[in-house]
């Protein structure tokens, strides 16, 4: 940091003198340096390393060989990988709409002039996002617990059929619920910020035109933050496809439902650290990256075409 | 892993008198002799040891007192799976591996496949093998080569709730046929109660119970690997349990969860097919069922047989990259098998002994436990220890086999075919994997 500060001072001092052009051009990059170091060290280098891994193959018998794209050829027809992707698409279909709808609803309510204690609610909704995923999952794992969890105990006290949260048809909603709880507040803050940026005079215009708060929210505010909504949808899709910590931690509680290839990331983890197939695991990870890119791109293409129309 | 949950030294009620009896017995057996006798390091050396068993530091401290020129750094890098992952990563990376590591019996073949284990054969006294229960020695050795010092074991048996059994008019079964009949009876008399837990969620449990039936899925000879996971023994075993699962006579609750233990404590699940370390784990985890538990031998497939298998248990292994293998062997031998320490392990952390002298020690094995209604449970398991069939071999990638077993059993219980089909799927997957890894599969 000291170097950078010194360099920046130097830039400032010389900017009036000769050769200031070079320094002026260089200055932004010097300011970017801290970011670039971290970016290269923790993203670019590991990516190159992983890609290098993915074109080799180390086996228990026979050592290491260069195999080119063999690992990818195998990955692209791997039913376990695509099964995981399918699981996540189903998961996304139920989780993302619920989460974003709630986020939008709360953002609109907080943005309206109807509530007291605005900042209190804003923080309250946001707090779950500050809880680490591991803690959140352990917490919900307890709440879901079939014999000593509160949900089960309440059901037993009321003598009603308890919900089994760890069944083949309930496990996805159970995990989706955790994800909604965790990330709803984060999206709400994004929406809230976008809503705050809408000029006040539009509301005055609405009032003049005779629109109530509700009509104003639906017909004025909502269309204006559509680009923001699109961004959160893309983020959510990308985040969903990376799903790992929740199923990984619930695995111990629901082993009979969650397999070691439940999501593509979980599969890559198992391949690397249980089956010792580091190379194949790297190929699976890159394939997941490709799938994520394609899905995000297709989504953007569809939505931009519609908005162009 | 089998001992993931055996955390911070669950304690059986152990009276001071029992302890003193034990101590007196130690003094009375001078014949055992120490493994480390005669071996002395010349220069000061520093060793690293990885293990997750509680109180390892205490034992290491005593080792350092006796061997002032050896400094030992103890690290706990995780229990079971994470421990092995870090060990594998360190061996693969070529740096950072410890000199000595805890190594469960079922991991030895995997780490031998990685060429990660040093041969202790030339470093240990030749007569040392006579001290250990035969199968434990067979499990760590290959001809004259030795890949670990046996530390503790898990001969299998059965723990059950006497009160639940009494109320349904049941008594501990001698055979698996009786076991199934009783399970059906209990399910009919008291729906909602389970006779036992079907441990499909733990690969170790699956392998151990199958091994008792004669299942021998792997045979490794050089790089030739015979794989017979879905043989008739496995199919019979699968059909046996399928019937009980379908009748809702057994619970399929995943092992090691809090609910798993709660079910035992409130009598929802009435018994557990477990290993010799099970009694300590159960007594340390129950609140309401104190005094209601009993232990019995493993049910037999043929009446009158005496066949048992082992589940879990560890060794102390020296890692191949160690620069001080002689000293590391001394340390491994001391921690795992010094007679006083073996007694210490049994009395503080309830590791079940692997040394013949301790298993025939009346004071140690005869300890009566209030939790088990005054029954000397160790005796039950000591008897089973002599009946463990030593011929079972683990795969050179056992973690992966266990992972596949767990996945496919989960699928089968979730409605994807029958348990017997799960074995076919595991067979196919593991054969493909072994070929991919360069083994010649037959």
């Amino acid at each position: 940091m000291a170097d950078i500060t010194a360099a920046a001072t130097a830039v400032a001092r010389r900017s009036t003198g000769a050769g200031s052009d070079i320094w002026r051009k260089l200055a932004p990059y010097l300011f970017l340096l801290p970011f670039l170091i971290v970016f290269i060290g923790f993203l670019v280098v590991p990516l190159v390393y992983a890609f290098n891994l993915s074109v080799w193959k180390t086996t228990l018998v026979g050592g290491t060989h260069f195999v080119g794209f063999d690992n990818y050829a195998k990955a692209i027809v791997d039913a376990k990988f695509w099964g995981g992707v399918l699981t996540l698409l189903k998961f996304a279909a139920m989780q993302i709409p619920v989460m974003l709808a709630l986020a939008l609803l709360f953002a609109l309510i907080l943005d309206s002039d109807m509530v007291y204690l605005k900042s209190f609610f804003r923080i309250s909704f946001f707090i779950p996002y500050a809880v680490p995923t591991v803690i959140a999952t352990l917490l919900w794992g307890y709440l879901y617990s079939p014999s000593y969890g509160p949900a089960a105990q309440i059901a037993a006290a009321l003598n009603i059929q308890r919900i089994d949260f760890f069944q083949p048809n309930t496990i996805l909603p159970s995990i989706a619920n955790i994800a909604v709880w965790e990330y709803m507040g984060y999206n709400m803050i994004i929406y809230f910020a976008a809503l705050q940026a809408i000029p006040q005079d539009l509301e005055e215009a609405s009032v003049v035109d005779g629109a109530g708060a509700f009509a104003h929210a639906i017909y004025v505010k909502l269309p204006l933050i559509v680009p923001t909504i699109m961004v959160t949808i893309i983020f959510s899709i990308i985040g969903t496809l990376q799903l790992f910590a929740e199923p990984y931690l619930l695995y111990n509680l629901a082993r009979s439902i969650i397999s070691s290839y439940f999501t593509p990331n979980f599969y890559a983890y198992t391949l690397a650290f249980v089956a010792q197939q580091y190379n194949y695991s790297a190929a699976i990870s890159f394939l997941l990256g490709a799938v994520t890119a394609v899905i995000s791109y297709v989504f953007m293409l569809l939505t931009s075409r519609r908005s162009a129309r | 892993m089998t001992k993931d949950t055996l955390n911070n030294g669950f304690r059986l009620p152990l009276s001071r008198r029992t302890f003193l009896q034990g101590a007196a017995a130690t003094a009375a057996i001078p014949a055992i002799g120490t493994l480390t006798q005669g071996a002395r390091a010349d220069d000061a050396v520093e060793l690293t040891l990885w293990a997750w068993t509680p109180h390892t530091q205490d034992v290491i401290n005593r080792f350092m007192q006796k061997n002032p020129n050896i400094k030992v750094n103890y690290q706990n890098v995780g229990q079971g799976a994470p421990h092995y992952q870090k060990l594998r990563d360190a061996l693969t990376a070529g740096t950072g591996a410890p000199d000595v590591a805890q190594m469960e019996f079922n991991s030895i073949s995997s780490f031998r496949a990685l060429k990660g284990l040093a041969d202790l054969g030339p470093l240990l006294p030749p007569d040392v093998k006579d001290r250990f229960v035969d199968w434990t020695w067979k499990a760590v050795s290959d001809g004259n080569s030795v890949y670990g010092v046996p530390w503790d074991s898990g001969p299998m048996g059965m723990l059950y709730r006497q009160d639940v059994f009494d109320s349904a008019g049941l008594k501990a079964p001698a055979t698996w046929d009786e076991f199934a009949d009783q399970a059906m009876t209990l399910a009919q008399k008291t729906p909602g109660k389970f006779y036992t837990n079907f441990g499909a969620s733990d690969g170790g449990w699956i392998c151990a119970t199958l091994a008792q039936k004669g299942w021998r899925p792997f045979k490794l000879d050089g790089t030739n690997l015979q794989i017979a996971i879905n043989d008739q023994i496995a199919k019979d075993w699968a059909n046996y349990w399928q019937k009980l699962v379908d009748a809702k006579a057994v619970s399929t609750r995943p092992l090691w969860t809090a609910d798993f233990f709660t079910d035992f404590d409130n009598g929802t699940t009435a018994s557990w097919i477990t290993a010799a370390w099970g009694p300590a784990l159960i007594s340390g985890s129950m609140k309401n069922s104190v005094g209601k538990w009993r232990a019995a031998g493993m049910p037999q497939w043929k009446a009158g047989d005496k066949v048992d298998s082992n589940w879990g248990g560890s060794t102390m292994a020296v890692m191949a990259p160690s620069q001080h293998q002689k000293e590391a062997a001394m340390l491994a031998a001391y921690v795992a098998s010094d007679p006083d320490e073996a007694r210490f392990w049994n009395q503080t952390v309830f590791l079940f002994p692997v040394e013949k002298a301790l298993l025939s020690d009346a004071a140690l094995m005869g300890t009566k436990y209030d939790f088990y209604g005054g029954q000397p449970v160790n005796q039950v398991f000591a008897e089973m220890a002599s009946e463990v069939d030593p011929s079972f071999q683990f795969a050179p990638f056992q973690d992966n086999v266990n992972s596949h077993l767990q996945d496919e059993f989960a699928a089968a219980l979730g409605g994807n075919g029958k348990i017997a089909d799960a074995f076919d799927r595991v067979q196919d997957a593991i054969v493909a994997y072994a070929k991919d890894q360069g083994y010649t599969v037959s």
Side-chain angles (χ1 to χ4, degrees):
Chain A
M1 278 312 280
D3 289 351
I4 295 158
T5 326
T9 334
V11 172
R13 207 180 302 135
R14 288 198 198 186
S15 58
T16 48
S20 65
D21 260 13
I22 289 177
W23 281 106
R24 192 168 296 169
K25 279 185 181 146
L26 217 52
Y29 299 100
L30 285 173
F31 282 111
L32 281 174
L33 208 57
F35 163 76
L36 283 176
I37 289 169
V38 175
F39 179 75
I40 291 170
F42 292 98
L43 196 76
V44 178
V45 172
L47 273 177
V48 172
Y49 180 80
F51 183 74
N52 184 44
L53 266 185
S54 73
V55 292
W56 295 81
K57 182 174 175 182
T58 305
T59 55
L60 287 171
V61 179
T64 306
H65 306 282
F66 183 78
V67 292
F69 287 93
D70 279 10
N71 287 326
Y72 289 93
K74 193 172 148 197
I76 214 151
V77 292
D78 191 327
K80 286 183 176 174
F81 172 77
W82 292 110
V85 172
L86 192 67
T87 303
L88 286 185
L89 290 180
K90 277 191 234 166
F91 176 82
M94 63 179 85
Q95 189 255 341
I96 296 177
V98 173
M99 173 179 71
L100 296 185
L102 284 175
L104 198 54
L105 178 70
F106 289 128
L108 286 170
I109 294 175
L110 285 181
D111 187 55
S112 72
D113 294 326
M114 301 189 299
V115 273
Y116 297 103
L117 294 172
K118 245 185 222 177
S119 54
F120 168 77
F121 283 112
R122 213 164 54 211
I123 290 292
S124 307
F125 288 135
F126 189 69
I127 277 179
Y129 182 70
V131 175
T133 315
V134 174
I135 309 291
T137 310
L138 292 177
L139 202 131
W140 279 98
Y142 162 73
L143 296 175
Y144 288 159
S145 160
S147 55
Y148 66 96
Q153 285 182 9
I154 290 169
L158 299 176
N159 210 6
I160 52 170
Q161 178 74 32
R162 71 176 174 83
I163 302 167
D164 193 335
F165 295 97
F166 300 137
Q167 282 302 307
N169 51 354
T170 53
I171 189 72
L172 277 184
S174 297
I175 299 177
N177 180 41
I178 302 176
V180 168
W181 182 81
E182 277 178 292
Y183 300 111
M184 192 276 288
Y186 169 77
N187 289 292
M188 186 209 72
I189 291 289
I190 296 180
Y191 293 155
F192 182 73
L195 289 170
Q196 293 282 296
I198 295 174
Q200 198 66 40
D201 41 359
L202 287 179
E203 187 165 6
E204 286 155 19
S206 293
V207 173
V208 171
D209 284 350
F214 183 75
H216 176 65
I218 298 296
Y219 297 109
V220 179
K221 286 180 179 176
L222 214 48
L224 281 172
I225 64 162
V226 162
T228 311
I229 295 175
M230 288 304 153
V231 169
T232 57
I233 293 176
I234 293 280
F235 282 179
S236 302
I237 291 174
I238 294 172
T240 300
L241 288 167
Q242 313 290 334
L243 195 70
F244 173 74
E246 290 87 350
Y248 176 73
L249 288 162
L250 289 178
Y251 174 70
N252 284 326
L253 300 178
R255 262 187 226 202
S256 20
I257 305 304
I258 297 176
S259 64
S260 64
Y261 47 91
F262 191 72
T263 73
N265 258 346
F266 200 165
Y267 186 38
Y269 174 88
T270 307
L271 285 172
F273 299 113
V274 177
Q276 303 171 62
Q277 292 169 299
Y278 299 97
N279 310 96
Y280 187 49
S281 172
I284 287 280
S285 306
F286 268 93
L287 188 61
L288 176 62
V291 168
T292 309
V294 168
I295 292 178
S296 311
Y297 182 73
V298 167
F299 177 80
M300 281 198 275
L301 206 66
L302 289 176
T303 50
S304 67
R305 192 180 289 165
R306 204 172 51 184
S307 54
R309 216 184 280 156
Chain B
M1 290 291 105
T2 49
K3 282 190 303 193
D4 275 5
T5 28
L6 189 53
N7 280 324
N8 306 307
F10 293 116
R11 277 155 200 278
L12 285 176
L14 183 75
S15 72
R16 186 163 166 270
R17 181 190 285 181
T18 340
F19 180 81
L20 291 176
Q21 275 171 0
T26 323
I29 315 174
I32 296 180
T34 353
L35 269 180
T36 52
Q37 224 165 26
R40 276 225 167 266
D42 303 324
D43 301 313
V45 249
E46 202 168 326
L47 301 174
T48 306
L49 182 145
W50 286 5
W52 67 80
T53 305
H55 294 287
T56 302
Q57 185 70 59
D58 299 350
V59 174
I60 287 176
N61 289 345
R62 288 195 285 271
F63 175 80
M64 288 195 287
Q65 264 168 20
K66 290 177 184 165
N67 301 276
N69 50 349
I70 302 179
K71 184 176 185 306
V72 184
N73 301 310
Y74 166 61
Q75 284 168 3
N76 177 357
V77 298
Q79 294 185 35
H83 169 90
Y84 295 119
Q85 279 166 21
K86 281 171 191 142
L87 214 46
R88 265 199 293 264
D89 291 346
L91 288 168
T92 311
T95 62
D99 299 278
V100 180
Q102 178 165 2
M103 177 85 23
E104 282 165 293
F105 284 104
N106 62 3
S107 291
I108 289 179
S109 54
S110 306
F111 279 87
R112 275 187 64 189
L114 285 176
K115 299 191 174 50
L117 303 182
D119 180 5
L120 303 178
L123 303 171
L124 298 172
D127 59 340
V128 70
K129 63 183 271 196
D130 302 331
R131 288 175 34 202
F132 295 99
V133 176
D134 297 343
W135 78 263
T136 62
W137 191 256
K138 187 146 193 300
V140 296
S141 60
D142 185 0
N144 288 325
S145 300
V146 181
Y147 295 99
V149 183
W151 185 9
D152 77 301
S153 65
M156 293 193 83
M158 180 173 173
L159 297 177
Y160 62 97
R161 287 281 298 264
Q162 177 83 58
D163 53 332
V164 181
F165 271 42
D166 281 349
S167 67
L170 309 175
K171 63 180 180 54
T175 65
W176 284 105
D177 283 340
E178 274 176 51
F179 185 92
D181 289 344
Q182 295 192 2
M184 292 297 193
T185 309
L186 188 71
Q188 277 156 15
K189 280 189 181 166
T190 48
K193 275 208 193 316
F194 299 108
Y195 185 67
T196 194
N197 181 288
F198 175 49
S201 56
D202 190 294
W205 187 91
I206 298 170
C207 289
T209 48
L210 274 161
Q212 192 221 3
K213 205 176 186 311
W215 189 61
R216 298 291 179 270
F218 302 104
K219 210 172 153 211
L220 181 66
D221 181 15
T223 57
N224 292 313
L225 185 63
Q226 282 180 33
I227 305 179
I229 296 168
N230 59 344
D231 62 0
Q232 197 52 46
I233 295 172
K235 293 291 175 73
D236 291 346
W237 182 92
N239 294 332
Y240 175 90
W241 284 102
Q242 185 78 54
K243 203 175 66 189
L244 297 178
V245 169
D246 289 345
K248 295 196 179 350
V250 297
S251 162
T252 55
R253 184 84 82 212
L255 265 65
W256 318 126
T257 57
D259 289 302
F260 167 78
F261 290 106
T262 308
D263 282 355
F264 284 139
D265 204 20
N266 63 25
T268 307
T269 310
S271 76
W272 189 26
I273 296 295
T274 185
W277 39 260
L281 180 59
I282 287 293
S283 66
S285 317
M286 299 293 121
K287 283 191 206 107
N288 306 317
S289 53
V290 178
K292 295 172 181 166
W293 286 85
R294 298 291 181 277
M298 190 76 160
Q300 297 294 315
W301 290 101
K302 259 194 228 124
D305 264 5
K306 282 180 175 229
V307 182
D308 199 22
S309 56
N310 178 74
W311 180 23
S314 291
T315 71
M316 270 287 161
V318 173
M319 297 287 112
S322 169
Q323 295 297 310
H324 307 286
Q325 297 199 349
K326 196 176 94 184
E327 291 80 5
M330 280 172 63
L331 174 64
Y334 180 86
V335 172
S337 70
D338 177 272
D340 293 345
E341 299 302 354
R343 197 170 288 276
F344 170 80
W345 288 123
N346 180 254
Q347 296 187 332
T348 47
V349 208
F350 299 96
L351 298 188
F352 197 75
V354 287
E355 294 181 58
K356 290 173 188 164
L358 289 178
L359 284 173
S360 54
D361 181 334
L364 200 63
M365 292 296 119
T367 308
K368 293 179 173 147
Y369 297 105
D370 292 341
F371 185 88
Y372 294 94
Q375 190 189 10
V377 288
N378 281 339
Q379 247 163 30
V380 176
F381 287 93
E383 204 172 301
M384 300 311 296
S386 62
E387 295 165 7
V388 172
D389 187 326
S391 64
F392 189 82
Q393 275 189 29
F394 288 103
F397 36 76
Q398 187 64 34
D399 283 1
N400 195 30
V401 174
N402 286 350
S403 165
H404 275 87
L405 283 171
Q406 285 159 202
D407 281 346
E408 295 304 342
F409 271 58
L413 293 176
N416 182 359
K418 299 281 177 193
I419 300 170
D421 305 329
F423 282 107
D424 292 337
R425 295 196 294 263
V426 175
Q427 170 80 12
D428 292 347
I430 292 299
V431 166
Y433 173 80
K435 283 183 179 160
D436 188 59
Q437 289 296 316
Y439 289 97
T440 312
V441 179
S442 54

